[in-house]
Amino acid sequence: MLSGKLSLLAAFAGALLSSSAALAQVSDDVVKIGVLTDMNGPASTPTGQGSVTAAQMAVDDFGGTVLGKPISVIVGDHQDKPDIGAGIARRWYDTEQVDLIVDVPVSAVGLAVQNIANEKKRMFITHSTGSADFHGKFCSPYAIQWVFDTRALAVGTAQEVVKRGGDSWFFITDDYAFGHSLERDASAVILKNGGKVLGSVKPPFATPDLSSFILQAQASKAKIIGIAGGPPNNMNEIKTAGEFGVLKGGQQMAGLLALITDIHSLGLPAAQGLLLTTSFYWDMDDKTREWSKRYFAKMNRMPTMWQAGVYSSVMVYLNAIKDSGTDEPLKVAAKMREKPIEDFFARNGKLREDNLMVHDLMLVQVKSPEESKYPWDYYKVLAKISGEDAFGPMDPACAMVKK
């Protein structure tokens, strides 16, 4: 009698398991994640192999399988060219069964990849591209922005600096769309908070000699020189400003996009005093330190906010597949929006209906060499900035936003 009951229970359990397996659906019997990045160009240090490593760490920590199917990571180098990035994305989605593309530095490349993701109805999470158009006029149910946008960095830095008395600004703005959007967003906040914008200069991308631009900023007598651009200009501007004695003259510099690897390359003597906003700092607390030290053991440098964000998003994505029982893109994205996102990377995080992951940011100041006590001890955290304040309300231009 007992053995009969046990057999019945075993059969019932087996039926439940087979029913669960039948409900679980993974396309092509593998979950494939493609890290599309810059492996050798100007963005390769803050993204590149570090982003690949972060994605693989997430897969390994998750256990290497989901819903009983293997998870694999592949790599592509878009060389900072939109046509190459779009071509790789199309091949990956069409013939290599890639379910999710991540990273993708440079907004022009990211927007090109987003177009392919929309066309192929596959998922794309961008980490290292800042254009607010991703969740604005070009928003898509298949594309998610995880780490930052130009508004959050500009608003976070400008608002907090003005609050601290930095109420007159002069901008050195990279002469392309990314730089212009940083200056525009920061200027709006400065004026709204009672500050003044005294002017701007616009060096072309990758200008070898920035001396004349620094001299104009210095001559403006603005309290804050805003650096509205990315590498390589931003770091060269900070270095040149140090050589011209800008900080010693009483002016401060605010980097609207600066990463910890940039500070490491510059060195604290050149970068000290710089103000910037970041989504992530490796030495913020025990959770950030624990993950970052594991990353450091593999890469021999600390992670940028972009690289930490890759890990965070891949882990949330895989958990959403597990919880929804499928890798069907829209169902996975909906599942990702259901729960708060609270991990070593994100504080008070939530994926909004416009597919922007809103989370808290930090205003930090680069330490002087004397203040730094150990390797990569670079930042003083001056203020926490809520995600709602930094990212602002949803853009009504996004078709996914309920009117």
Side-chain angles (χ1 to χ4, degrees):
M1 179 72 72
L2 181 60
S3 63
K5 284 183 177 179
L6 288 173
S7 299
L8 190 62
L9 284 171
F12 181 65
L16 279 177
L17 286 170
S18 62
S19 170
S20 300
L23 290 172
Q25 296 178 350
V26 172
S27 57
D28 307 300
D29 289 329
V30 62
V31 172
K32 191 175 285 190
I33 299 167
V35 183
L36 184 53
T37 189
D38 174 1
M39 292 300 289
N40 300 291
S44 59
T45 299
T47 63
Q49 183 56 48
S51 294
V52 178
T53 296
Q56 189 62 57
M57 285 174 68
V59 170
D60 294 343
D61 288 350
F62 193 81
T65 64
V66 60
L67 301 179
K69 306 298 182 183
I71 309 163
S72 69
V73 175
I74 65 171
V75 183
D77 183 0
H78 62 50
Q79 301 171 45
D80 298 331
K81 296 176 181 175
D83 57 336
I84 292 177
I88 293 171
R90 187 178 296 279
R91 187 183 78 245
W92 278 1
Y93 288 143
D94 274 347
T95 65
E96 299 192 34
Q97 289 78 50
V98 167
D99 298 289
L100 168 68
I101 291 175
V102 299
D103 201 17
V104 195
V106 185
S107 288
V109 184
L111 290 168
V113 171
Q114 183 179 19
N115 287 336
I116 306 301
N118 291 343
E119 179 189 330
K120 301 300 177 182
K121 296 181 169 52
R122 298 289 183 92
M123 283 193 72
F124 165 44
I125 304 178
T126 180
H127 305 83
S128 45
T129 43
S131 172
D133 287 342
F134 278 103
H135 59 89
K137 62 183 178 181
F138 298 138
C139 76
S140 157
Y142 299 98
I144 293 169
Q145 194 165 25
W146 200 262
V147 175
F148 81 116
D149 69 5
T150 52
R151 184 192 187 279
L153 293 192
V155 168
T157 304
Q159 184 168 281
E160 294 301 320
V161 170
V162 172
K163 279 183 189 176
R164 285 165 169 71
D167 56 3
S168 63
W169 287 62
F170 187 93
F171 285 97
I172 305 175
T173 302
D174 279 5
D175 195 12
Y176 61 105
F178 179 71
H180 295 172
S181 65
L182 282 172
E183 180 186 341
R184 180 193 66 234
D185 292 342
S187 295
V189 173
I190 292 161
L191 296 173
K192 181 181 176 183
N193 285 273
K196 296 177 290 186
V197 177
L198 303 183
S200 68
V201 288
K202 294 180 170 59
F205 180 71
T207 301
D209 184 4
L210 292 155
S211 302
S212 65
F213 303 103
I214 297 297
L215 286 170
Q216 288 178 73
Q218 195 171 22
S220 74
K221 305 296 184 186
K223 292 179 184 177
I224 307 295
I225 298 172
I227 307 297
N233 279 14
N234 59 350
M235 292 302 107
N236 290 336
E237 286 154 4
I238 294 162
K239 184 178 179 181
T240 305
E243 293 167 355
F244 279 61
V246 168
L247 293 172
K248 291 177 182 175
Q251 291 172 297
Q252 276 192 303
M253 301 193 80
L256 299 183
L257 174 61
L259 300 153
I260 196 163
T261 47
D262 299 327
I263 307 306
H264 185 73
S265 297
L266 271 176
L268 293 183
Q272 62 182 308
L274 180 71
L275 300 163
L276 62 103
T277 297
T278 184
S279 290
F280 174 80
Y281 177 42
W282 77 269
D283 204 15
M284 190 184 81
D285 60 24
D286 288 342
K287 285 201 295 187
T288 59
R289 281 188 284 272
E290 187 277 329
W291 184 84
S292 298
K293 286 175 180 176
R294 289 201 295 126
Y295 175 94
F296 186 91
K298 297 174 183 294
M299 290 298 300
N300 201 34
R301 60 174 176 259
M302 286 302 177
T304 64
M305 62 177 179
W306 296 340
Q307 292 157 339
V310 167
Y311 178 102
S312 169
S313 66
V314 169
M315 189 63 79
V316 172
Y317 169 76
L318 293 174
N319 273 304
I321 292 177
K322 177 184 173 185
D323 292 345
S324 58
T326 179
D327 65 350
E328 198 282 311
L330 296 184
K331 290 180 181 177
V332 173
K335 187 62 69 173
M336 291 172 73
R337 286 192 287 271
E338 283 183 9
K339 297 179 182 176
I341 297 164
E342 193 77 26
D343 56 17
F344 79 95
F345 169 78
R347 300 294 185 276
N348 300 307
K350 178 169 179 55
L351 185 61
R352 295 193 314 202
E353 65 182 89
D354 59 353
N355 273 351
L356 174 68
M357 205 278 275
V358 172
H359 53 281
D360 295 348
L361 306 178
M362 294 168 279
L363 179 74
V364 302
Q365 186 170 33
V366 177
K367 291 182 174 183
S368 68
E370 295 73 31
E371 291 172 311
S372 179
K373 304 303 181 190
Y374 41 84
W376 295 86
D377 175 25
Y378 292 162
Y379 293 163
K380 290 183 288 189
V381 178
L382 301 182
K384 301 285 179 68
I385 307 162
S386 77
E388 289 75 15
D389 282 348
F391 290 96
M394 287 184 277
D395 186 343
C398 172
M400 293 156 58
V401 175
K402 292 170 185 170
K403 304 295 190 283

